[in-house]
Amino acid sequence: MAHPLILALDQGTTSTRAILFDLAGQALGEASRPLAQHYPADGWVEHDAQEIYKAAVTVMAEAVANAGAEMAQVAAIGITNQRETVVLWDRTTGAPVHRAIVWQDRRTASLCETLRRQGAEAHVTEVTGLLIDPYFTGTKLAWMLDHVPDARARAEAGDLLAGTIDSWLIWKLTGGKAHVTDATNASRTLLFDIRAQAWSEAMLDLFKVPRAILPEVRDCAGLFGETEAGLLGRAIPICGVAGDQQAALMGQGCVAPGQMKATYGTGCFLLVNTGEAAPVSQARLLTTVAARIDGRTTYALEGAIFIAGAAIQWLVEGLGVESPAAAEVLARRARPDHGVVLVPAFTGLGAPWWDAEARGSLSGLTRDAGLPEIAAAAYDASAYQTADLIEAMASDAPEAFGEGSELRIDGGMSRSPWFTQRLADLTGQRVARASYEETTALGAALFAGLGAGLYPDVEAAAAARPTTEPSAPALDPELRQAGQARWRDAVRRALSHG
């Protein structure tokens, strides 16, 4: 194969996308399909797993065709996926026994509350690095086993299989020959011991999940199986798998301790690589697997900001601003000393505050404050929440933060050079904006390239990450500290127990 190419399948919450890359990390062609959302009850979110599989096959074929390439040039497939979403299916027929329950689904909130009241969370966190929350896979799977007719009996008899979206896709693409997952996806289930790197018997007992239905856990880079020849014209090895945020961490080249990335979409996910140390967070951050390669596990601390770009959308939908682009124009017109603070706790506050009952607030208003100042406060809220997360992470894992660290960013809000500079100014952190936004798909491709032997090591793979446009903090430190103090005072007022 003269010029081997890598096909990345990025199965997300709202779409299924495939991108064909060369070994230098250049995108050659892509294709995507929207994914229908199903809301059978308040707080419930489901996907059709069969729709996901069919779209995956379609977009992979189209991406190669759109690049003007041949399937014979594809050396490996890499898969990245929406994390925590779970599928339960029949081992013999391959038919799902229920629609996939999506990571956003909250139907298991009462079960989680019961487990917390019973005092289970400390042990769960110690073993899995996670908190007891409906967000994670374990309680969703327990719900399926208890609510789908005969599911528990069939699971215990060995007739059913379960897994996150990566497992479902691999099982289908290989014609049922491989029931596998990778360590990053396993680490999001509430069922996996992140230090022992094995399914935890204690967690399986706690959530009442039979071990036999779960996939084998493998490294992120290596052979997971081969696609059935009839699907894409030839059998192609699947050589890389990672959950979406870990794939983005790889796509941003964050392979050494202290390297961190933030993805600014509706919300924001911030991860910092902590190397082979798996710190126990004192700030209720998540400890998760960053990658497992050649049997060596590296870890990350992860924090979630619930509202980032959604605050800009609120300006458009709630306050009548014409568009997100118009919101930025307004924000840039704001008086530098306006003092307005927006705490966008529309659905509570995430890490490090973790207050589901907190509600949004707008403070510091004066007679001459208007839409420009409110718009600026909406952008600043993302920066201040980022600063809170970085401070919490540095407290949990001080050894991971050295001199010269930078925050690598991607996602919709990162397209703005102005926001990038504002982020650097208000966090006091050097910020590097990725020139190519699809870092999640790129990360999957890099893992697959490693697994297929196309890159000699992690560092060589990470060298294919996109170039970045750096922004250094330019704001006077006293002004930054004053702004952070105003923000934290406003947060305290917004907290339900404040």
Side-chain angles (χ1 to χ4, degrees), residues 264 379 382-383 409 413-414 416-424:
Y264 290 91
Y379 282 94
S382 288
I409 66 170
M413 290 180 74
S414 75
S416 165
W418 173 80
F419 172 70
T420 304
Q421 184 59 53
R422 193 70 180 152
L423 187 61

Side-chain angles (χ1 to χ4, degrees), residues 69 289 315 374:
V289 173
L315 295 174
I374 294 172

Side-chain angles (χ1 to χ4, degrees), residues 27 66 109 117 140 143 173 200 213 218-219 249 273 275 282 296 345 350 372 383 415 463 470 484 489:
N66 291 344
R117 281 201 308 268
K140 296 179 176 70
W143 186 94
L173 291 169
S200 164
I213 68 175
R218 295 187 179 175
D219 290 357
L249 196 69
N273 186 318
Q282 301 305 308
R296 175 176 166 262
R415 295 173 191 157
Q484 290 180 351
D489 180 64

Side-chain angles (χ1 to χ4, degrees), residues 5-17:
L5 305 176
I6 306 170
L7 185 55
L9 178 61
D10 182 356
Q11 204 299 299
T13 309
T14 58
S15 70
T16 302
R17 177 188 305 269

Side-chain angles (χ1 to χ4, degrees), residues 308-326:
I312 313 307
Q313 200 61 37
W314 170 72
L315 295 174
V316 175
E317 295 174 358
L319 299 187
V321 176
E322 183 179 328
S323 66

Side-chain angles (χ1 to χ4, degrees), residues 43-404:
W44 293 27
V45 190
E46 297 177 353
H47 287 158
D48 181 338
Q50 294 282 29
E51 178 190 356
I52 288 172
Y53 164 64
K54 290 171 184 173
V57 175
T58 299
V59 298
M60 285 195 289
E62 288 183 355
V64 174
N66 291 344
E70 300 291 335
M71 205 61 75
Q73 295 173 265
V74 179
I77 292 171
I79 296 175
T80 183
N81 55 287
Q82 49 168 315
R83 303 175 304 174
E84 298 93 18
T85 298
V86 65
V87 186
L88 184 66
W89 68 94
D90 186 293
R91 178 194 291 270
T92 304
T93 67
V97 302
H98 190 277
R99 281 200 293 235
I101 300 182
V102 179
W103 59 272
Q104 298 158 310
D105 191 282
R106 306 298 292 178
R107 77 186 65 186
T108 62
S110 60
L111 170 60
C112 291
E113 181 58 32
T114 297
L115 291 169
R116 282 193 293 268
R117 281 201 308 268
Q118 291 172 352
E121 187 164 71
H123 188 212
V124 169
T125 300
E126 178 187 355
V127 173
T128 70
L130 308 176
L131 304 171
I132 295 179
D133 192 273
Y135 175 39
F136 303 109
T137 315
T139 59
K140 296 179 176 70
L141 183 51
W143 186 94
M144 279 187 176
L145 291 171
D146 287 335
H147 289 81
V148 175
D150 301 324
R152 184 167 293 283
R154 293 175 66 197
E156 290 173 351
D159 295 336
L160 301 182
L161 296 175
T164 41
I165 294 295
D166 58 307
S167 295
W168 162 248
L169 286 172
I170 294 168
W171 194 86
K172 291 289 286 183
L173 291 169
T174 61
K177 294 184 177 66
H179 187 39
V180 293
T181 188
D182 86 292
T184 68
N185 278 295
S187 76
R188 311 297 296 188
T189 61
L190 284 173
L191 305 174
F192 191 66
D193 186 325
I194 60 171
R195 292 170 183 83
Q197 286 294 294
W199 297 118
S200 164
E201 292 299 332
M203 295 300 106
L204 294 176
D205 288 345
L206 180 66
F207 294 102
K208 300 181 176 61
V209 173
R211 168 69 184 84
I213 68 175
L214 297 176
E216 176 191 342
V217 182
R218 295 187 179 175
D219 290 357
C220 302
L223 182 62
F224 288 81
E226 289 189 340
T227 62
E228 285 195 293
L231 291 177
L232 298 171
R234 56 178 281 261
I236 303 173
I238 300 167
C239 293
V241 178
D244 55 9
Q245 298 306 319
Q246 286 93 336
L249 196 69
M250 179 65 166
Q252 285 275 30
C254 297
V255 297
Q259 293 178 329
M260 58 184 165
K261 75 92 197 174
T263 299
Y264 290 91
T266 300
C268 172
F269 286 95
L270 196 157
L271 281 78
V272 61
N273 186 318
T274 60
E276 294 185 50
V280 177
S281 175
Q282 301 305 308
R284 289 173 64 79
L285 300 174
L286 306 178
T287 305
T288 196
V289 173
R292 197 175 87 190
I293 297 170
D294 293 331
R296 175 176 166 262
T297 305
T298 53
Y299 297 91
L301 281 172
E302 177 176 325
I305 295 169
F306 293 162
I307 301 293
I312 313 307
Q313 200 61 37
W314 170 72
L315 295 174
V316 175
E317 295 174 358
L319 299 187
V321 176
E322 183 179 328
S323 66
E328 182 180 321
V329 171
L330 277 172
R332 296 173 75 161
R333 280 174 32 203
R335 291 184 296 106
D337 60 345
H338 61 79
V340 176
V341 180
L342 171 67
V343 180
F346 304 149
T347 55
L349 284 170
W353 308 101
W354 291 112
D355 186 347
E357 302 306 318
R359 286 298 173 261
S361 69
L362 190 62
S363 59
L365 293 172
T366 56
R367 179 65 183 81
D368 56 356
L371 267 180
E373 287 70 34
I374 294 172
Y379 282 94
D380 288 355
S382 288
Y384 286 131
Q385 290 178 99
T386 301
D388 289 340
L389 280 182
I390 291 174
E391 180 177 320
M393 288 175 170
S395 173
D396 281 338
E399 67 284 351
F401 286 81
E403 288 295 320

